[in-house]
Amino acid sequence: MAEGVCRFGVLGPLVLERDGEVVALPSGHQRSLLALFLMAGGVPLSRDRLIDELWGERPPSSAVSALHVHLSKLRELLGDLVVREPAGYALQAGRFELDCLQFETLLAEARTDPEQARELLVQALALFRGEPLCDVACEGSIAQWRRALAEKHLQALLLRVDADLAAGLAAELVAELESLAAEHPFEERLRGQLMLSLYRAGRQADALDAFARARRDFATELGLEPGEQLSRLHARMLAQDPTLLLAVVAAATADQSA
C-alpha cells in the first residue's frame, strides 16, 4: 500500500480517499469489518466481538479463519493502519480522517456561534452524500450507528431551518419543509417549522391546515394528540400573535438598511 493520508466517508456509501484519490473498497464482510473499525474510532475490538458483529449469534465453524482472511485483505489495502493490540484489532487513532467527525465539529461550532450558525450548518449538511453507510451489509452496532448518524442529520437540518426562519426566509422554506414533513411525519418540531414558514409567508389558512393534518396523522397512527409546543403554536396563530412575525419584520428592516 502506498503511504498517504486516508480519509474515510460514512455519510453516504462507505468511501476511502488517499491523497485525494478514491480507492476501491472490498465488498461483503471486509467492508463491514472496516465500518466496525471506523465506528470504534481507534478503540480495539476483540476477535469475539468482531465475529459476533459479522455473523451474529450463529457464526459458521470457519468464522475464526474467515475473520483472519478478511483482516489480511484489509491490511493489504490499508497497511499498518490496521493494528493488532492486546485487546483486539483497530485502526490506528490519529492516522486517518473521518467525515462524521468533521460533521460533529461543525455542528458543535454552530451551536455555540449563532452569527455563523447557518453557514456552519450548510457546510456540515453538505458532507452527507446519501443515507449513511447505505452500502454496508451489517446489523448490530453498525445498524445502530447508521440510525444515529441519520438522526444527527435530521437534527442539523432542523437547526438550519431555524436559522433560515430567523433570517426571514419563510417562503423559500415551504416546499422543502413539506417534503421533509412527508418523510418524517411524526417529527413535531418539523411540523411546527412548516406551520411557522407558512404563517410568515402570509398563508395563515394553510398554516392552520398543516396543524389539522398533523393532528389527524398523530391521532390515526399514534393515538396521540400533538405535543404542548405544537398546540401552543397553533393557539398563537389562532390569536394572531404579532410576535410570530418578528423575524420577518427584523429581516425587512435589515434589508432596508443595507
Side-chain angles (χ1 to χ4, degrees), residues 28-157:
H29 285 317
Q30 291 168 42
R31 186 179 292 261
S32 300
L33 185 60
L34 176 56
L36 285 166
F37 287 147
L38 292 171
M39 179 193 68
V43 176
L45 299 175
S46 70
R47 185 187 69 181
D48 289 345
R49 166 74 183 279
L50 293 172
I51 289 175
D52 182 62
E53 292 282 0
L54 293 177
W55 286 284
E57 296 180 355
R58 296 182 178 180
S61 58
S62 60
V64 173
S65 59
L67 175 62
H68 289 159
V69 169
H70 296 322
L71 286 167
S72 177
K73 293 293 185 181
L74 277 186
R75 286 197 184 98
E76 291 178 9
L77 178 69
L78 302 175
D80 62 0
L81 185 59
V82 180
V83 295
R84 181 175 182 178
E85 301 182 4
Y89 301 88
L91 298 182
Q92 285 195 52
R95 289 276 311 278
F96 62 92
E97 299 174 359
L98 188 57
D99 59 355
C100 65
L101 298 182
Q102 182 183 359
F103 170 80
E104 295 278 6
T105 298
L106 289 168
L107 186 58
E109 291 176 0
R111 293 182 185 276
T112 58
D113 188 352
E115 292 186 1
Q116 299 297 319
R118 187 181 185 281
E119 180 179 345
L120 291 166
L121 289 165
V122 169
Q123 292 178 37
L125 290 166
L127 294 172
F128 278 79
R129 297 166 287 107
E131 181 184 351
L133 296 167
C134 58
D135 60 346
V136 177
C138 191
E139 297 302 321
S141 297
I142 292 300
Q144 295 175 17
W145 191 29
R146 182 187 293 134
R147 289 191 292 269
L149 291 171
E151 178 60 25
K152 289 178 180 178
H153 177 254
L154 176 59
Q155 295 308 311
L157 266 176

